[in-house]
Structure formats: C-alpha cells, structure tokens
Amino acid sequence: MRKIFLLLFGISTLLTSAQQKENEALKKELDGIMKVDQGYRMLFDSGISPEKKDRLLAELNIDKEEFEKKSWKLVAEHDSINMQKIEHIISQYGYPGKTLVGEPTNQAAWYVIQHSKNIGKYLPLIKEAGKKNEIPLIWVAMMEDRYLMYENKEQIYGTQGKGEMTKDKEGKQIFISFIWPIRDPQNVNKRRKEAGFDSTVEENAKRMFGKDFQYEPYTLKQVLELRNKNK
C-alpha cells in the first residue's frame, strides 16, 4: 500500500512540475506578445524622444525605414499575428488569467483582443474571466465600452474617447475629440467607482485628450450629425 502511495505521489509531483514548466513557458510567450503590442504603440507616443524611439525600434527588431514607410500598417500586421497566437492559446487553456500566468501577464491576451476586431467574439470570455477574478473588472468594463462604441451604441463606463472630422458653421473642416456617448451619464461616475476605477469620467477625459480638455456629454444623435457634416 505504501509503495502504491509513493508511486501516486511521485506521479502527482511530476505532473505538477510539468504544469509549472508549461505555465512558465506560456507566461514567457505572453510577455513577448504584450511587449510587441505595447511597444509598437509607444512608437506613436508624441512624448517619446528620438533616442528612446530608436532604442525601442532596436528592441523590437524593427527596420527604421520600413517603419517610416508602413507606419500604422506595420502595427496592424503584428496585431493580426498576435491575435492568431492568442486564439491558439485560448483554444488550449481558455483565458490565460492570473491563476495560470500571474500578473501583469494576465493582461496580455486582453490587450490583443482589445486591439482587434474580435471583441464581440471574446467579450463573454472576458466577462467570465472578470467574474473569476482572473482579470480586474475595470478591464472588462473597458472592453465592453469599446465593443458598444464599435456597435454605435452608448457605452456604460465612459472609458472610450473618439475623434471625428467634421465641419464648422463656415464649412471649414475641423477635428473634434469627445468621450463616446454614455448611457445614463448622470450616474456614470457611480458605475465607474463600483467597477473599480479610481478616476471620474471628467478626469479620464483629461488623461486621454489633455489637461485643458473639458468633458461635454455627447448623444448618439450629435455624433451622427458630426459625421454627416463631413460627407
């Protein structure tokens, strides 16, 4: 009996060890994916210095001439590659959350999905991961808001901003930035607090568009009017 127990214990230990190695490998893969996803976007940060930009290009193994030629098209290409990798990972493990890969690696798959056209497909999975505490609820809120914006529906938490090229009263083209229309805007800050956000919608608007930006609630009707003026 004792021999059987020791044998089973040994098998269990080997399986646990193999699982840990597998998780470490997955964590490393996801960290690499997140580095690419975030690194490419940092290259477009207006506040980045030329020296830091050159270092980042080198770290990401990006040819400077190719980057200047393709610009955001290069980002889109790598977003597509990353999405394929994440879909493969999800098919094997489900959402790679905190239990499987720890923090902040549990954000890697979220970033890739958030930057894709597949939010509608994976939003239920993201919501489930939030319920299980595998990712923070604020990430769920941000993805739900983005999905609603893409569907031309009112967002819930006021996390998404937008810009539209339109025309002023004199017919001159202008670009207007705004927070995407919010459902029940009077209570949005209450909902944000309940979801775990540490900022108001007004503060978030300044973070997105600059300290001088003044938040003004827009309706879906107003947004559509802005678009139609530019046609």
Side-chain angles (χ1 to χ4, degrees):
M1 185 70 180
R2 185 168 179 273
K3 289 183 178 180
I4 294 174
F5 173 77
L6 290 172
L7 178 62
L8 291 174
F9 179 77
I11 292 172
S12 176
T13 302
L14 286 172
L15 288 174
T16 301
S17 178
Q19 184 64 41
Q20 287 175 344
K21 288 181 180 179
E22 185 178 54
N23 291 351
E24 287 169 7
L26 180 59
K27 175 180 170 58
K28 185 177 180 180
E29 181 181 2
L30 286 165
D31 284 341
I33 289 172
M34 186 157 59
K35 181 180 179 181
V36 170
D37 180 277
Q38 293 299 286
Y40 271 79
R41 284 166 171 78
M42 284 177 63
L43 291 167
F44 293 91
D45 186 342
S46 58
I48 190 173
S49 68
E51 294 78 16
K52 186 175 180 180
K53 187 173 183 178
D54 286 341
R55 287 198 303 271
L56 192 54
L57 286 168
E59 288 175 11
L60 295 170
N61 197 28
I62 303 172
D63 180 77
K64 191 172 183 179
E65 289 185 6
E66 183 184 12
F67 175 76
E68 291 176 353
K69 181 180 179 181
K70 289 188 174 182
S71 189
W72 272 100
K73 289 182 180 179
L74 199 60
V75 180
E77 289 174 8
H78 282 80
D79 280 353
S80 179
I81 293 170
N82 281 342
M83 191 65 234
Q84 291 175 29
K85 292 178 180 177
I86 292 301
E87 287 184 322
H88 179 68
I89 289 170
I90 288 174
S91 70
Q92 286 186 289
Y93 301 96
Y95 185 87
K98 182 170 62 176
T99 302
L100 189 62
V101 295
E103 297 177 298
T105 309
N106 61 331
Q107 195 170 5
W110 180 89
Y111 269 126
V112 175
I113 296 170
Q114 182 80 338
H115 294 149
S116 76
K117 297 179 180 179
N118 299 322
I119 291 178
K121 178 180 178 180
Y122 289 106
L123 185 56
L125 182 71
I126 295 296
K127 288 184 176 181
E128 185 65 23
K131 287 179 182 178
K132 292 180 178 178
N133 199 33
E134 293 295 336
I135 58 173
L137 290 176
I138 61 172
W139 298 354
V140 181
M142 285 189 283
M143 187 169 288
E144 184 169 16
D145 272 359
R146 181 162 292 195
Y147 171 72
L148 290 168
M149 181 177 71
Y150 285 170
E151 293 292 307
N152 286 324
K153 296 178 180 179
E154 294 172 320
Q155 61 177 323
I156 300 171
Y157 302 96
T159 66
Q160 303 299 302
K162 193 80 167 59
E164 291 284 349
M165 188 65 75
T166 186
K167 292 180 180 178
D168 61 16
K169 294 179 181 180
E170 298 176 355
K172 183 181 177 181
Q173 279 199 329
I174 56 172
F175 188 80
I176 296 181
S177 298
F178 55 90
I179 296 297
W180 185 259
I182 302 169
R183 185 188 312 166
D184 183 22
Q186 292 81 6
N187 293 304
V188 63
N189 286 329
K190 180 182 177 182
R191 292 194 299 274
R192 288 177 65 86
K193 188 175 181 180
E194 290 172 348
F197 290 99
D198 60 3
S199 63
T200 64
V201 67
E202 292 83 2
E203 291 167 341
N204 187 53
K206 289 182 182 297
R207 180 188 64 80
M208 284 193 282
F209 299 122
K211 63 181 180 179
D212 296 326
F213 183 84
Q214 295 298 317
Y215 167 66
E216 178 185 345
Y218 273 69
T219 65
L220 286 174
K221 182 181 178 182
Q222 287 175 312
V223 170
L224 293 175
E225 286 175 352
L226 286 177
R227 290 180 180 174
N228 291 332
K229 284 181 181 179
N230 199 42
K231 290 182 178 179

